[in-house]
Amino acid sequence: MSLSVRSMGDVIRISQKIQAFCLDKGVDARRSYLSGLCMEEMAGNVVTHGFSKDKKHHFVDVQVIYKSGSLILRIKDDCAAFDPATRREIVDPEDITKNIGIRMVYDMAYSVSYQSLLGLNVLTVVI
């Protein structure tokens, strides 16, 4: 399944579509929910932080693949390079919620990988 994100409203709708896609493929309710939540957190970060860095119009493309029992989520965007792994371990004693979404995704996923390819951010999350 391929989807595009242009706003925070799209992020919420896509999260729901991902959950429905997973359930239709026979994925259990917990993994379906976690998949939608992971995508919501990571795509939401791109929209919130990446879209506002400059005056350009940006895109986020989301792809969800269910194959041989694996659920693969891929987020590709054209915003400034950002590897979420750099924020994974940062916990601010003044604000323990800082980077909580990124930490949560890394905790829930089997694997998370980031690549910067031809000026694009490509994040792959396996649930």
Side-chain angles (χ1 to χ4, degrees):
M1 174 171 68
S2 295
L3 305 159
S4 293
V5 175
R6 303 277 183 242
S7 68
M8 281 306 287
D10 289 344
V11 170
I12 303 301
R13 283 188 291 281
I14 286 174
S15 174
Q16 294 166 344
K17 286 181 180 183
I18 289 170
Q19 287 181 50
F21 171 84
C22 292
L23 291 170
D24 287 346
K25 296 292 182 186
V27 176
D28 63 90
R30 181 178 182 276
R31 278 180 69 202
S32 297
Y33 173 75
L34 293 178
S35 297
L37 184 59
C38 284
M39 190 60 67
E40 187 175 324
E41 286 296 327
M42 300 313 264
N45 280 344
V46 173
V47 171
T48 300
H49 302 292
F51 281 21
S52 64
K53 295 286 183 190
D54 55 34
K55 302 283 187 210
K56 297 178 183 175
H57 289 357
H58 293 283
F59 74 86
V60 180
D61 287 332
V62 174
Q63 188 169 27
V64 184
I65 300 165
Y66 183 70
K67 183 177 180 180
S68 303
S70 291
L71 198 51
I72 303 163
L73 311 172
R74 191 203 68 201
I75 304 171
K76 181 171 60 173
D77 68 78
D78 68 341
C79 298
F82 175 72
D83 181 354
T86 63
R87 305 290 178 158
R88 180 181 181 190
E89 302 299 328
I90 298 175
V91 179
D92 184 349
E94 301 293 319
D95 181 7
I96 61 171
T97 64
K98 187 171 185 147
N99 302 318
I100 196 165
I102 291 171
R103 293 193 318 262
M104 177 189 67
V105 169
Y106 275 89
D107 288 345
M108 291 186 307
Y110 290 116
S111 69
V112 179
S113 63
Y114 168 82
Q115 294 176 297
S116 179
L117 299 170
L118 303 171
L120 300 174
N121 296 299
V122 181
L123 183 69
T124 304
V125 179
V126 180
I127 303 291

